[in-house]
Amino acid sequence: MFGMRKKIMPVYTYGAPVLKAIAAPVEKITPEIRELADRMIDTMFAFDGIGLAAPQVGVSKRIVALALPAQLPADYEPSPAEELLLPMMPMVIINPQIISYGKDKYISDEGCLSVPDIYAPVERPRTIVFQTEIIDYGIVTVEAGGLLARCIQHEMDHLNGTLFVEKVAPEAYTKIDARVRTLIARGAQNNYQRRK
Ligand code: ZN
């Protein structure tokens, strides 16, 4: 819808200093934080993302927008976090923290709105226990698996100044190295901003 365009923020791409900073905790959910949350959801949808951390729109605060698909694979046993959170999507979480990681790890391809059109495998724990505040809901501590667990780990990395490409194993990284260099060089010419 054309009228919604004003809420869409530029997305910062790899190389932007804001993506390397440790984001600050949110002290209080003010009207400004709510406005930012709405704009992050609009921006995430405009760029077809399933997750967006505030540093990606140039705001170094611990805020994450999520829009995971509610549909789960057949025969998949949803984790408690998926049962709770998937019906709330799209949603915004504040000050998320990972409390513990499951021992089992697996590798899966990831992508990122700050690293457009580049996908590469990242190894991560399959399950996590995380705690977060949810706007208009409260604070929850819940175990996550599946895509949700992976997505929250990816977004937590953003809040701590890390991008997924920095976690790709060396052999796989050689396949994306040239494209990452091109992205950084092009980004530098555009103040590291993607616009819709
Ligand atoms: Zn990302």
Side-chain angles (χ1 to χ4, degrees), residues 146-172:
L147 181 60
L148 180 61
R150 180 166 287 270
C151 189
I152 286 172
Q153 291 177 74
H154 175 115
E155 303 306 335
M156 286 296 309
D157 282 349
H158 276 302
L159 302 183
N160 295 323
T162 299
L163 278 88
F164 84 95
V165 290
E166 295 159 355
K167 295 198 155 181
V168 173
E171 197 172 311

Side-chain angles (χ1 to χ4, degrees), residues 33-65:
I33 295 291
R34 286 174 181 275
E35 172 68 16
L36 173 63
D38 287 346
R39 295 185 73 184
M40 286 176 63
I41 288 174
D42 289 346
T43 303
M44 173 175 60
F45 282 137
F47 285 90
D48 295 320
I50 60 168
L52 180 74
Q56 294 182 272
V57 290
V59 179
S60 194
K61 290 187 173 14
R62 303 185 87 78
I63 305 172
V64 172

Side-chain angles (χ1 to χ4, degrees), residues 25-177:
V26 174
E27 304 282 343
K28 188 163 180 273
I29 299 177
T30 60
E32 290 73 25
I33 295 291
R34 286 174 181 275
E35 172 68 16
L36 173 63
D38 287 346
R39 295 185 73 184
M40 286 176 63
I41 288 174
D42 289 346
T43 303
M44 173 175 60
F45 282 137
F47 285 90
D48 295 320
I50 60 168
L52 180 74
Q56 294 182 272
V57 290
V59 179
S60 194
K61 290 187 173 14
R62 303 185 87 78
I63 305 172
V64 172
L66 297 170
L68 273 72
Q71 196 75 23
L72 291 166
D75 306 331
Y76 176 81
E77 185 73 34
S79 63
E82 289 167 299
E83 298 251 34
L84 176 69
L85 301 185
L86 293 185
M88 295 187 202
M89 303 284 170
M91 67 187 304
V92 172
I93 62 175
I94 306 284
N95 299 332
Q97 292 180 63
I98 296 176
I99 307 287
S100 64
Y101 295 90
K103 286 201 177 97
D104 185 23
K105 294 183 178 181
Y106 76 113
I107 295 172
S108 184
D109 273 4
E110 294 188 16
C112 181
L113 296 183
S114 294
V115 191
D117 304 320
I118 296 174
Y119 299 87
V122 179
E123 184 179 66
R124 295 193 188 272
R126 192 176 292 278
T127 60
I128 55 169
V129 176
F130 76 102
Q131 182 175 80
T132 192
E133 179 158 10
I134 301 169
I135 289 185
D136 294 328
Y137 188 86
I139 294 174
V140 297
T141 304
V142 70
E143 183 178 356
L147 181 60
L148 180 61
R150 180 166 287 270
C151 189
I152 286 172
Q153 291 177 74
H154 175 115
E155 303 306 335
M156 286 296 309
D157 282 349
H158 276 302
L159 302 183
N160 295 323
T162 299
L163 278 88
F164 84 95
V165 290
E166 295 159 355
K167 295 198 155 181
V168 173
E171 197 172 311
Y173 193 85
T174 59
K175 294 178 188 164
I176 61 166
D177 187 30

